[in-house]
Amino acid sequence: MKKIQEIFNKEKPIIGMVHLLPLIGTPYYNNKYTPSIIEDKALEEAEKLKIAGFDAILFANEGDRPYEHQVGPEIVSLYSRVAYSVTREIKLPFGVGVLMDPKATLALGKTLEANFVRMYVSGVFAGTFGFQYLDPGEIMRYRRKIEAMDLPIFCNVTPHAATTLDTRTIEEIVDSIVLMINPEVILIPGPRAGLPPKLETVSSLKEHFPDQNIIVSSGVSIENVKEILKISDGVIVGTSIKKDEVLWNPIDLERAKRFIDVVKNAIS
């Protein structure tokens, strides 16, 4: 199992989101957004993150809302084209996550030689995107089938825009995931994009699992990043560095720079 230091050559990485425009066949796709335009827009976002000083980037098909549990080949092919093109230009560690398809995520991570993947591996959830059931045995066997056992998994454990049907405490859930699946990183998001988790939850998990890398993966902002970095092993940032802090807007470069300045002061 790779540790964060091995993946990023840094103890507490600051990972910025590259949210793709709506891809072909999804509800908000607009035919004026040709594959080339989608590619160019993603490159612009990644360039901003690099200029601002982020340590890594994470691709997500955020524009494809509402998300499916199994995406089609048109999504995988265009996502792959865009991520491949961007990562040939922007030399930063990168990850991929296909909402909300773990097998597509693993396949892209393997073929793109990503540094990590973000995905769910287990859980049963009900919410905005319907009923979601993750079969860890099937997912991990697929990981073995495509020879991706060395591809680091950043594992979501609590749902976005949904509730878990697992009534155990989060400590008990994480304990079983660590034991049975052994992910490189546990991700702790808030209830949806742009909202943070309860910091006491993050602190409690780090106390219970001091050797497990834990990253806060939503709701990180200029206002709370100092406190979050004290109790976690890094952050994933999206909404708070967008223009007007709106999820669907492009990254505001000056806002992204201010965020990194705050981080530098926090860890200096």
Side-chain angles (χ1 to χ4, degrees):
M1 185 179 75
K2 292 183 180 178
K3 292 291 188 180
I4 279 180
Q5 182 72 35
E6 296 177 61
I7 300 170
F8 302 102
N9 196 29
K10 188 170 184 178
E11 289 186 4
K12 296 194 177 189
I14 311 301
I15 303 168
M17 294 299 309
V18 174
H19 290 146
L20 307 184
L21 291 174
L23 303 181
I24 294 170
T26 60
Y28 293 94
Y29 174 73
N30 187 321
N31 203 43
K32 72 178 182 180
Y33 294 132
T34 65
S36 293
I37 290 175
I38 294 172
E39 186 179 297
D40 290 344
K41 292 297 183 182
L43 180 58
E44 289 175 12
E45 297 291 90
E47 285 177 333
K48 292 174 189 175
L49 293 173
K50 185 172 183 179
I51 290 169
F54 280 75
D55 301 309
I57 58 178
L58 172 58
F59 294 95
N61 53 324
E62 207 79 20
D64 291 354
R65 66 196 194 278
Y67 311 112
E68 293 186 301
H69 304 147
Q70 183 176 353
V71 302
E74 71 283 355
I75 300 299
V76 174
S77 61
L78 184 48
Y79 190 128
S80 181
R81 168 183 168 164
V82 171
Y84 180 84
S85 175
V86 171
T87 56
R88 290 306 174 270
E89 294 289 331
I90 305 299
K91 302 300 183 182
L92 285 175
F94 74 95
V96 297
V98 180
L99 298 163
M100 304 168 60
D101 189 333
K103 287 186 179 179
T105 297
L106 285 169
L108 279 171
K110 175 69 175 182
T111 58
L112 291 168
E113 299 179 290
N115 298 94
F116 64 98
V117 292
R118 180 184 68 171
M119 55 189 278
Y120 287 96
V121 179
S122 70
V124 181
F125 312 125
T128 303
F129 308 116
F131 183 75
Q132 186 182 18
Y133 162 70
L134 284 304
D135 185 334
E138 180 182 346
I139 293 167
M140 294 300 282
R141 280 164 175 77
Y142 180 74
R143 186 189 188 197
R144 166 57 68 189
K145 176 183 176 181
I146 65 171
E147 297 296 331
M149 296 304 289
D150 61 344
L151 177 61
I153 289 179
F154 286 26
C155 182
N156 294 306
V157 296
T158 57
H160 258 188
T163 187
T164 179
L165 302 188
D166 190 334
T167 59
R168 295 176 297 169
T169 67
I170 190 170
E171 288 82 7
E172 290 171 326
I173 292 170
V174 170
D175 180 67
S176 64
I177 288 175
V178 170
L179 178 65
M180 295 293 180
I181 299 168
N182 196 28
E184 280 72 17
V185 172
I186 292 292
L187 297 179
I188 305 298
R192 66 161 173 80
L195 296 180
K198 294 179 179 179
L199 298 192
E200 55 265 32
T201 298
V202 181
S203 181
S204 173
L205 286 172
K206 196 59 188 174
E207 289 177 9
H208 278 83
F209 308 98
D211 297 325
Q212 174 66 49
N213 289 144
I214 295 174
I215 284 180
V216 175
S217 56
S218 78
V220 183
S221 66
I222 288 175
E223 291 73 26
N224 64 19
V225 66
K226 286 184 180 180
E227 187 175 1
I228 288 174
L229 286 174
K230 291 177 183 177
I231 57 174
S232 71
D233 299 298
V235 296
I236 296 175
V237 189
T239 304
S240 72
I241 58 172
K242 298 294 190 74
K243 181 180 178 181
D244 300 324
E245 297 186 77
V246 174
L247 176 61
W248 318 116
N249 284 347
I251 293 170
D252 182 324
L253 179 57
E254 294 308 311
R255 188 183 293 273
K257 287 180 177 178
R258 289 199 300 274
F259 182 90
I260 293 299
D261 285 342
V262 171
V263 169
K264 288 178 179 178
N265 289 332
I267 62 178
S268 61

